[in-house]
């Protein structure tokens, strides 16, 4: 997972980081220069204060100050993500020129370097940005490399080695920060999804409950009417079928966010598959679809809720049939998997699923069909999860879809 730096929370964090960075930069810079030019000369043998000479001299402070003013201006203008690069490039340009002017064509021994360079590399992880980290390390090394070449000195080797070591430590910190942020954001996404499900689930359960009662009276009266006048018309069986369809949609709706307790017992997956295929056969025949089943005889009984598992495979076969309006073939295979699991795969050669839709599968109400409810895969996923199982969907547009359901043989709740 990649960190999306444009998220509002992360923009806020970046703002905090850049402010902290500026403060620490300023304080480090001032303390180091006071120590070097005032404190050491004043309290050691020299006894005379050594002012910065050569290069830009005092103008260096003016340039750094000017750079900070522009940075604050950029922050105020909300150019948050560019500020750190601006500081990096402008500081090292000033520093390079200053050092170059100081040592070029002089016999002075090269002794350059400022503590803030280490600070740049060491604090790079606070921006949690790999690109910035690499650019910072390269800029600092490049500065010493260019100075070494132009001033013909080997004294740059030590700072370069030091920067490489500090970069290693810094990279380690950066990787920790990145993985921390990635797991925090995924927890946040998960929570948001769960919250949405809980609200929808409560609503669906309440509405479902209210619809159920009138629906069962309606079905009862329709059946009664049909029995009373069996030869009047053909609409009664259709009406009863449609009422059953509403009932199954309501049942699916009531599943959202509210998984039901399972009735786990020793169940034969072969029987479940044979049953679901026989139920779906009529629908498949009508569309010119053949269903091929390959059952491995070695597959033992599994701990599962028979009724719910039937629902899983009815949903999956229904989807496969609906993906092939012009006919085709469905292959169902059941085999042992890793010794203690079984894998049931359902493969069709239908329309396939768009890549960007794959991640939405199983979300309530996600459907690409005009008359779809988008509840089938949600219920399927929930039931499989309740069985501590997993499912995987592989699909290629125009070629077909393969769904693998993996269930444990032993599964005590
Ligand atoms: P519904 O079938 O009511 O649309 P589902 O939750 O069962 O809802 O499926 C969601 C979506 O997933 C479908 O609308 C379809 O786009 C896609 N889908 C699921 N199974 C398949 C499949 N075997 N082939 C192609 N698309 C599928
Ligand atoms: Mg479906």
């Amino acid at each position: 997972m990649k960190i999306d730096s444009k998220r509002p929370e992360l923009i806020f964090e970046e703002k905090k980081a850049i402010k902290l960075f500026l403060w620490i930069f300023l304080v480090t810079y001032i303390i180091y220069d006071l120590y070097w030019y005032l404190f050491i000369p004043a309290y050691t043998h020299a006894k005379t204060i050594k002012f910065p000479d050569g290069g830009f001299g005092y103008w260096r402070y003016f340039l750094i100050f000017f750079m900070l003013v522009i940075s604050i201006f950029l922050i105020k203008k909300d150019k948050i993500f560019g500020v750190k690069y601006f500081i990096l490039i402008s500081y090292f340009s000033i520093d390079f020129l200053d050092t170059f002017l100081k040592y070029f064509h002089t016999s002075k021994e090269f002794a350059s370097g400022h503590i803030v360079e280490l600070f740049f590399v060491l604090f790079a992880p606070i921006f949690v940005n790999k690109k910035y980290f690499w650019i910072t390390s390269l800029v600092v090394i490049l500065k010493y490399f260019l100075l070494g070449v132009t001033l013909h000195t080997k004294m740059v080797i030590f700072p370069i080695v030091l920067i490489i070591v500090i970069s290693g430590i810094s990279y380690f910190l950066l990787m920790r920060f990145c993985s921390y942020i990635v797991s925090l954001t995924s927890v946040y996404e998960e929570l948001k999804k769960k919250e949405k499900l809980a609200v929808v689930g409560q609503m669906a359960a309440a509405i479902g409950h209210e619809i159920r009662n009138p629906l069962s009276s309606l079905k009862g009266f329709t059946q009664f009417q049909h029995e009373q006048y069996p030869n009047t018309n053909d609409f009664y069986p259709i009406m009863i079928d449609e009422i059953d369809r509403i009932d199954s949609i309501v049942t699916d709706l009531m599943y959202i966010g509210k998984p039901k307790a399972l009735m786990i017992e020793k169940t034969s997956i072969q029987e479940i598959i044979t049953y679901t295929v026989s139920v779906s056969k009529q629908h498949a025949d009508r569309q010119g679809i053949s269903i091929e089943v390959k059952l491995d005889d070695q597959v033992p009984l599994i701990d599962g809720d028979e009724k719910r598992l039937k629902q899983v495979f009815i949903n999956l076969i229904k989807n496969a049939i609906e993906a092939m309006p012009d006919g085709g073939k469905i292959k169902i295979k059941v085999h042992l998997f890793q010794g203690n699991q079984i894998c049931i795969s359902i493969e069709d050669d239908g329309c396939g699923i768009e890549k960007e839709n794959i991640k939405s599968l199983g979300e309530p109400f996600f459907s690409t069909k005009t008359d779809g409810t988008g509840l089938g895969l949600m219920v399927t996923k929930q039931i499989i999860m309740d069985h501590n199982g997993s499912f995987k969907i592989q699909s290629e547009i125009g070629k077909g879809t393969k769904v693998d359901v993996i269930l444990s043989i032993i599964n005590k709740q």
Side-chain angles (χ1 to χ4, degrees):
M1 188 176 172
K2 216 171 161 280
I3 298 172
D4 173 14
S5 59
K6 298 290 176 284
R7 289 170 72 109
E9 314 90 72
L10 294 185
I11 293 177
F12 177 70
E13 287 300 325
E14 176 86 9
K15 218 172 192 167
K16 275 204 308 202
I18 193 81
K19 281 182 185 163
L20 179 73
F21 185 82
L22 277 176
W23 270 114
I24 303 179
F25 172 84
L26 192 64
V27 171
T28 318
Y29 197 85
I30 292 173
I31 290 181
Y32 182 79
D33 273 24
L34 283 178
Y35 176 77
W36 191 246
Y37 293 114
L38 268 173
F39 195 78
I40 291 196
Y43 294 98
T44 57
H45 59 281
K47 293 278 177 202
T48 49
I49 294 171
K50 191 176 100 187
F51 294 107
D53 57 350
F56 289 140
Y58 281 114
W59 281 99
R60 185 153 60 95
Y61 297 115
F62 175 76
L63 289 171
I64 299 284
F65 177 74
F66 190 57
M67 177 189 93
L68 292 177
V69 170
I70 296 180
S71 309
I72 293 167
F73 176 76
L74 288 175
I75 296 174
K76 292 262 181 281
K77 284 274 166 216
D78 272 344
K79 301 265 183 287
I80 302 296
F81 290 96
V83 181
K84 55 182 179 291
Y85 292 108
F86 169 74
I87 298 173
L88 180 75
I89 304 299
S90 45
Y91 174 79
F92 280 97
S93 308
I94 296 169
D95 192 54
F96 177 80
L97 286 174
D98 184 44
T99 317
F100 183 76
L101 291 175
K102 224 186 257 176
Y103 292 99
F104 192 60
H105 281 322
T106 63
S107 55
K108 268 196 272 182
E109 198 180 337
F110 181 78
S112 167
H114 198 289
I115 196 98
V116 284
E117 286 163 8
L118 295 184
F119 155 85
F120 265 101
V121 180
L122 209 53
F123 277 75
I126 67 169
F127 294 108
V128 202
N129 182 327
K130 283 185 201 158
K131 189 170 96 188
Y132 173 74
F133 168 80
W134 287 118
I135 293 180
T136 307
S137 303
L138 284 178
V139 164
V140 186
I141 292 171
L142 191 69
K143 181 199 116 170
Y144 281 104
F145 178 74
L146 288 179
L147 284 174
V149 172
T150 49
L151 301 175
H152 306 291
T153 173
K154 286 201 177 78
M155 299 295 279
V156 293
I157 293 175
F158 176 70
I160 289 181
V161 172
L162 187 67
I163 296 294
I164 291 174
V165 171
I166 303 265
S167 293
I169 299 170
S170 196
Y171 184 73
F172 174 73
L173 290 175
L174 175 70
M175 294 325 278
R176 290 302 315 133
F177 282 177
C178 283
S179 91
Y180 192 60
I181 289 207
V182 166
S183 55
L184 268 185
T185 37
S186 61
V187 165
Y188 175 77
E189 293 292 333
E190 194 64 22
L191 253 162
K192 240 174 42 183
K193 229 185 224 173
K194 281 217 173 104
E195 214 166 75
K196 195 171 116 195
L197 269 187
V199 174
V200 178
Q202 274 174 0
M203 233 175 76
I207 296 172
H209 191 74
E210 292 303 315
I211 292 176
R212 269 260 162 95
N213 294 338
L215 207 60
S216 56
S217 336
L218 201 61
K219 186 174 172 181
F221 286 127
T222 315
Q223 272 168 340
F224 179 70
Q225 200 76 347
H226 185 38
E227 280 157 16
Q228 288 276 302
Y229 312 101
N231 301 320
T232 44
N233 60 45
D234 300 331
F235 294 139
Y236 288 122
I238 298 175
M239 283 163 78
I240 293 168
D241 273 358
E242 291 298 293
I243 292 172
D244 282 342
R245 210 161 81 92
I246 300 176
D247 193 58
S248 80
I249 294 173
V250 170
T251 312
D252 282 353
L253 265 175
M254 290 170 78
Y255 221 98
I256 304 178
K258 244 190 158 185
K260 301 197 185 79
L262 296 180
M263 298 256 297
I264 297 278
E265 51 197 357
K266 287 280 172 226
T267 318
S268 160
I269 210 76
Q270 285 97 326
E271 272 177 28
I272 291 178
I273 296 293
T274 314
Y275 171 82
T276 41
V277 169
S278 71
V279 171
S280 315
K281 197 129 189 80
Q282 206 191 356
H283 188 180
D285 284 346
R286 252 186 278 145
Q287 255 171 250
I289 295 169
S290 60
I291 305 181
E292 179 191 298
V293 184
K294 265 195 194 153
L295 294 171
D296 182 348
D297 294 335
Q298 305 292 308
V299 172
L301 296 181
I302 68 159
D303 290 326
D305 184 326
E306 188 183 319
K307 217 172 129 196
R308 304 251 166 268
L309 288 177
K310 278 181 181 164
Q311 201 178 346
V312 164
F313 297 108
I314 287 177
N315 284 344
L316 294 178
I317 296 174
K318 189 164 166 270
N319 278 347
I321 294 175
E322 285 165 357
M324 299 187 286
D326 304 322
K329 193 173 188 178
I330 299 175
K331 287 187 214 156
I332 303 176
K333 272 188 216 151
V334 182
H335 61 92
L336 260 177
F337 183 69
Q338 292 180 351
N340 56 355
Q341 290 171 316
I342 56 170
C343 173
I344 306 107
S345 63
I346 295 154
E347 195 176 348
D348 65 59
D349 43 21
C351 59
I353 306 169
E354 299 272 357
K355 248 199 181 92
E356 70 256 29
N357 287 343
I358 296 240
K359 62 178 186 311
S360 309
L361 298 177
E363 278 178 15
F365 310 115
F366 173 78
S367 176
T368 54
K369 299 168 193 165
T370 40
D371 58 348
T373 59
L375 293 170
L377 283 184
M378 179 215 62
V379 173
T380 301
K381 196 169 148 186
Q382 189 67 56
I383 295 172
I384 294 171
M385 267 163 38
D386 290 347
H387 280 81
N388 298 321
S390 60
F391 88 135
K392 194 172 79 186
I393 300 184
Q394 289 159 284
S395 188
E396 206 174 317
I397 208 85
K399 284 217 165 147
T401 306
K402 185 176 175 219
V403 184
D404 286 329
V405 177
I406 294 171
L407 296 168
S408 298
I409 294 170
I410 311 261
N411 187 10
K412 290 279 163 270
Q413 292 289 305

